[in-house]
Amino acid sequence: MSSKKHPSANNTYETERLILRPMSREDKDFVFELYNRPKFIQHIGNRNVNSIEDAENYILNRFAPQIERLGFGNYLLVTKDGNEKVGAVGIFEREGLDIVDIGYSLLEEFEGKGYAFEAAHKVKSIGMDDFGLTKISAIISKDNVSSQKLIEKLGLKFKKHVTLPGETEELNYYETE
């Protein structure tokens, strides 16, 4: 028998240096800080998280329903050594995309340490191995070269340019082969 057990929505995962746990309302302060960083707004966009209450509502209305419905979603990244909240990674259903996409963001002070790749690699394997996803996509702004390199290192290939519904920016679209 090879029936795959459907993973729990509350699963916490580990990599060599990180703990990945589902984003929860207790992370509202962190989400507020991360989503208002200039680099986040430049590369990912303004999500109109203008207060701690907005951050809590974003978690409850955007992240929680997807995790409950699909079992996967947005995960907080916490270092094992120091218990610091450093960023987020996830696989998301996104309007305008037929295939779920992988996304990640770190506080600038934790960039360049390999955390984003480590976390994205883990989430990709969770999606494909644990949840049976056959394809994962990624959308990246054209000027975000470091993120493009990370996605290519993950094994996704550039396919085309896309513009999401309600947006004006043309993005690079990548997909697993």
Side-chain angles (χ1 to χ4, degrees), residues 88 95 98 123 148 160 169:
E95 188 184 354
D98 295 332
V123 164
Q148 293 167 20
K160 60 186 176 183
E169 183 186 3

Side-chain angles (χ1 to χ4, degrees), residues 35 39-48 167 169:
Y35 280 42
K39 272 181 107 169
F40 185 96
I41 292 168
Q42 176 190 353
H43 292 306
I44 297 172
N46 185 345
R47 298 295 186 243
N48 295 309
E167 303 284 330
E169 183 186 3

Side-chain angles (χ1 to χ4, degrees), residues 47-141:
R47 298 295 186 243
N48 295 309
V49 175
N50 301 313
S51 67
I52 300 295
E53 185 182 5
D54 287 348
E56 183 175 14
N57 288 331
Y58 200 88
I59 293 165
L60 296 176
N61 298 325
R62 297 283 302 264
F63 299 153
Q66 182 186 309
I67 282 220
E68 286 167 21
R69 193 173 73 256
L70 301 178
F72 58 83
N74 198 21
Y75 299 90
L76 179 72
L77 305 179
V78 182
T79 59
K80 288 181 178 178
D81 177 25
N83 199 34
E84 292 180 283
K85 295 179 180 182
V86 299
V89 66
I91 298 176
F92 306 96
E93 283 188 320
R94 204 173 300 277
E95 188 184 354
L97 296 181
D98 295 332
I99 299 170
V100 291
D101 86 292
I102 191 165
Y104 43 84
S105 182
L106 296 180
L107 297 173
E108 290 95 332
E109 53 267 36
F110 296 102
E111 289 178 356
K113 300 177 187 305
Y115 289 141
F117 179 78
E118 189 174 319
H121 186 269
K122 181 66 175 180
V123 164
K124 179 186 172 202
S125 75
I126 291 165
M128 298 187 105
D129 300 339
D130 296 1
F131 287 94
L133 298 175
T134 55
K135 284 189 178 267
I136 293 176
S137 70
I139 46 173
I140 302 171
S141 58

Side-chain angles (χ1 to χ4, degrees), residues 4-58:
K4 207 175 250 190
K5 194 180 105 195
H6 192 69
S8 159
N10 296 317
N11 271 3
T12 294
Y13 301 95
E14 289 189 28
T15 65
E16 185 185 339
R17 301 176 298 160
L18 299 168
I19 295 165
L20 286 67
R21 67 164 173 76
M23 197 71 76
S24 69
R25 74 180 335 143
E26 290 76 38
D27 303 315
K28 60 189 180 216
D29 292 340
F30 179 78
V31 168
F32 175 72
E33 180 182 358
L34 180 65
Y35 280 42
N36 283 288
R37 291 284 180 107
K39 272 181 107 169
F40 185 96
I41 292 168
Q42 176 190 353
H43 292 306
I44 297 172
N46 185 345
R47 298 295 186 243
N48 295 309
V49 175
N50 301 313
S51 67
I52 300 295
E53 185 182 5
D54 287 348
E56 183 175 14
N57 288 331
Y58 200 88

